[in-house]
Amino acid sequence: MRVKPLAVLLALLPALSLAKPLTVCTESSPDGFDVVQYNSLVTTNASADVIFNTLVSYDEAQKKVVPSLADKWDVSGDGLTYTFHLRPNVQFQQTDYFKPTRPLTADDVVFTFSRMLDANNPWHKIAGPNGFPHAQSMGLVKLVKAVTKVDDSTVKFELNEPNATFVPVLTMGFASIYSAEYADQLLKAGKETELNGKPVGTGPFVLKSYTKDALIRYDANPRYWGPKPKVDKLIYAITPDATVRAQKVRARECDIALSPKPQDVAAAKADKALKVVEAPAFMTAFVALNTEHKPLDNEKVRQALNLAFDRTTYLKTVFDNTAQPATNPYPPNTWSYDKSIVPYGYNIEQAKKLLRDAGFPDGFKTTIWTRPTGSVLNPNPKASAELLQADLAKIGVKADIKVIEWGQLIKDAKQGQHDLLFMGWAGDNGDPDNYLTPLFSCNAVKSGINFSRYCDPQLDKLIADGRSTADQAKRAKDYEAAQKIIHDEALWIPLGYPTAAAITRANVSGYRVSPFGRQNFDGVQAQ
């Protein structure tokens, strides 16, 4: 028998086995992998976006909700019952620590939501210190009457009242479907905390290892129900400094750099070895004003802070004018955006007058919280905080800057420990309620995501009324009225609507930037 040359033998091997790993430079470490406990986009990117799936997903091109783990669903005429029909033969991931004995069933969906919504569920009682922030802020405990199994492939959600946002909410990362069988295994072994470090989902990639502040390694899921990923290995190289992320792409240490600085984007556009992928972001950068802390409980003080900040200089310095000036909670291409609201201008004298009227002629002391590293919503935290500090000093407000590591900042801010907080929000599906309920509802004060800590019955009712009908014209009226309250009460300092961007090597194909900050590597490869 003739022996074939090595080159020929290698050529006969499956192409995927020789595929180059896809390395992505990310901005920070996730809080964990049990996504329901957290609300940061970094955590969603590392867990929900690659390891898990939801019942439905949001198609960004079509701008509508589409099937995922559920291949169809029915809604009753009164809008109170949603019946989801599960895709057949969806397999959970097989790992060293879990060998599933059955495919996805309605039991897994019931467990996933019972854990978040039912106080008697043992997994509800042993939730982490964060609880279930998204489920709480979105008011699902009050909204969902029951989640029941009809049969193995059918699950029914009964609501206490009609809600136009219910199905879109199920596209969010916190609605990822978990394995009830795996949860039972952990519970019986007394290893509940391992759910946060050893996740099991139905998604395209399986977590292999995680080194905090360094690397996350994933393998392609051979049991994935959808199109097989084009790479067999995915690596997140955690790189907090945005400039270093851009340098790593140039040095071929990374194939994709997330959340680059605007200046690095401009430089990459002139480099033939690189590509820039961009999209208008469904995001808003802002400074939250904690209305539970004096004197920020006074609307005149909050209005004065808005008037004192030179946002034109801020957008030029921090975003290199790549972000639109912000006025309302969500971007102007969103339906119901109220164009009649006049933004706060830059007016030092008027700001001083408002402080005098509020009883603070000599100003006051406060703190500005920010993170140490940049993101798409704040490319340069240090410059941002210093600009605000300098402007507030002009009206007698002495602000100390506190730079806090991202995970600790989120934890402390959710407990309301901050005064002024540089923050940002990314919506998940283009609906205005993606901003209004989590950032301004009373439920969101309890869950900690409402960083303004403002609970107002009138505002809360407008937000709730807007969710209760499918009539978009009626919803728009409620949301326009809500925007006016948010603006007049000056609950935050709106900063900008950024452009979402990533820098890739020229040989990377299939990667798209999501306006919502989500990550999808299913069809991406570095050739």
Side-chain angles (χ1 to χ4, degrees):
M1 184 177 76
R2 227 165 155 193
V3 179
K4 293 180 180 177
L6 178 60
V8 175
L9 291 172
L10 290 174
L12 293 174
L13 291 175
L16 185 59
S17 68
L18 299 176
K20 178 183 182 295
L22 184 72
T23 303
V24 183
C25 275
T26 64
E27 62 195 66
S28 61
S29 294
D31 301 303
F33 296 92
D34 184 14
V35 66
V36 300
Q37 293 189 46
Y38 309 106
N39 66 285
S40 74
L41 190 56
V42 167
T43 298
T44 298
N45 293 161
S47 55
D49 290 348
V50 288
I51 299 170
F52 293 95
N53 296 119
T54 46
L55 287 173
V56 291
S57 60
Y58 188 77
D59 188 303
E60 296 170 6
Q62 299 183 65
K63 296 185 178 180
K64 68 176 185 179
V65 177
V66 297
S68 184
L69 292 180
D71 56 12
K72 60 181 178 178
W73 60 94
D74 310 310
V75 186
S76 63
D78 59 8
L80 294 176
T81 303
Y82 290 74
T83 305
F84 292 87
H85 305 274
L86 301 181
R87 191 180 297 275
N89 201 34
V90 172
Q91 302 295 322
F92 278 99
Q93 296 163 357
Q94 184 168 298
T95 68
D96 295 339
Y97 44 87
F98 178 62
K99 304 292 188 292
T101 64
R102 60 166 177 80
L104 169 79
T105 71
D107 291 322
D108 302 300
V109 180
V110 172
F111 162 72
T112 294
F113 288 92
S114 173
R115 177 192 177 200
M116 292 186 281
L117 307 179
D118 182 2
N120 294 316
N121 186 300
W123 278 95
H124 187 91
K125 296 175 182 178
I126 57 176
N130 302 297
F132 305 100
H134 271 299
Q136 293 161 0
S137 65
M138 302 304 286
L140 293 191
V141 174
K142 179 182 176 183
L143 174 65
V144 179
K145 181 179 180 181
V147 185
T148 54
K149 173 183 177 179
V150 177
D151 56 42
D152 276 354
S153 61
T154 313
V155 63
K156 180 172 65 176
F157 288 75
E158 296 174 80
L159 307 187
N160 286 310
E161 58 189 19
N163 188 297
T165 69
F166 179 65
V167 173
V169 160
L170 298 183
T171 69
M172 298 173 70
F174 84 92
S176 297
I177 303 303
Y178 285 66
S179 166
E181 185 182 17
Y182 179 47
D184 286 344
Q185 173 182 304
L186 292 177
L187 197 61
K188 289 174 184 175
K191 297 180 178 180
E192 300 87 354
T193 57
E194 289 191 3
L195 195 65
N196 195 33
K198 297 180 176 180
V200 168
T202 58
F205 293 94
V206 181
L207 178 68
K208 297 304 291 182
S209 66
Y210 169 48
T211 304
K212 185 175 172 57
D213 299 329
L215 288 174
I216 312 175
R217 296 181 181 273
Y218 308 87
D219 281 355
N221 177 12
R223 298 157 61 91
Y224 185 47
W225 57 271
K228 190 171 182 61
K230 292 187 176 181
V231 294
D232 57 358
K233 294 186 182 299
L234 172 67
I235 299 169
Y236 279 12
I238 300 166
T239 312
D241 189 296
T243 298
V244 175
R245 290 196 294 274
Q247 291 170 349
K248 283 189 173 184
V249 173
R250 286 193 178 86
R252 302 184 181 183
E253 295 177 37
C254 287
D255 300 301
I256 301 172
L258 304 182
S259 304
K261 287 183 178 180
Q263 296 85 351
D264 292 326
V265 168
K269 287 179 178 179
D271 189 333
K272 291 182 179 180
L274 304 177
K275 289 191 297 188
V276 172
V277 190
E278 294 178 297
F282 189 57
M283 302 178 185
T284 305
F286 60 91
V287 177
L289 307 177
N290 189 341
T291 61
E292 290 181 341
H293 287 187
K294 292 184 179 299
L296 301 174
D297 60 336
N298 188 314
E299 71 273 13
K300 289 184 178 179
V301 170
R302 299 193 298 268
Q303 290 165 358
L305 300 188
N306 268 272
L307 289 164
F309 193 33
D310 180 1
R311 274 164 287 193
T312 300
T313 298
Y314 161 81
L315 291 173
K316 182 178 180 181
T317 303
V318 175
F319 283 95
D320 200 20
N321 288 330
T322 60
Q324 288 181 265
T327 300
N328 293 328
Y330 40 83
N333 59 353
T334 311
W335 63 268
S336 83
Y337 182 92
D338 192 343
K339 296 179 181 178
S340 70
I341 292 177
V342 179
Y344 288 97
Y346 176 52
N347 193 321
I348 292 295
E349 292 308 313
Q350 189 177 351
K352 288 179 177 179
K353 181 181 183 305
L354 281 169
L355 282 187
R356 289 195 299 270
D357 293 346
F360 298 93
D362 300 318
F364 57 91
K365 292 183 178 181
T366 191
T367 57
I368 298 169
W369 285 25
T370 191
R371 59 190 293 174
T373 58
S375 69
V376 64
L377 286 157
N378 192 351
N380 193 333
K382 182 176 183 290
S384 299
E386 290 173 349
L387 286 168
L388 179 58
Q389 180 188 49
D391 281 349
L392 295 185
K394 296 173 187 175
I395 60 170
V397 175
K398 301 174 183 63
D400 291 329
I401 296 172
K402 291 186 67 175
V403 179
I404 306 171
E405 184 272 327
W406 174 246
Q408 192 64 43
L409 181 144
I410 284 289
K411 180 181 177 182
D412 293 347
K414 285 170 69 174
Q415 295 172 3
Q417 296 180 25
H418 61 286
D419 292 330
L420 280 66
L421 169 68
F422 273 92
M423 186 51 65
W425 192 258
D428 286 83
N429 53 48
D431 194 293
D433 186 67
N434 257 208
Y435 284 81
L436 297 176
T437 288
L439 292 175
F440 298 104
S441 70
C442 293
N443 278 327
V445 175
K446 298 174 187 175
S447 69
I449 301 177
N450 181 339
F451 297 110
S452 297
R453 313 289 296 177
Y454 185 82
C455 175
D456 173 71
Q458 183 184 0
L459 177 58
D460 207 50
K461 185 176 187 303
L462 287 168
I463 295 171
D465 287 350
R467 293 193 305 266
S468 67
T469 177
D471 184 338
Q472 193 171 102
K474 168 67 170 63
R475 294 184 70 196
K477 277 190 174 182
D478 290 329
Y479 292 162
E480 287 165 5
Q483 289 169 77
K484 189 172 189 313
I485 292 175
I486 293 165
H487 175 268
D488 292 351
E489 291 291 329
L491 300 183
W492 59 357
I493 302 175
L495 299 176
Y497 308 119
T499 297
I503 300 173
T504 79
R505 297 289 308 166
N507 64 339
V508 172
S509 63
Y511 182 75
R512 292 180 175 84
V513 167
S514 166
F516 310 116
R518 303 294 294 270
Q519 298 298 327
N520 184 343
F521 300 108
D522 292 13
V524 183
Q525 62 182 329
Q527 297 169 327

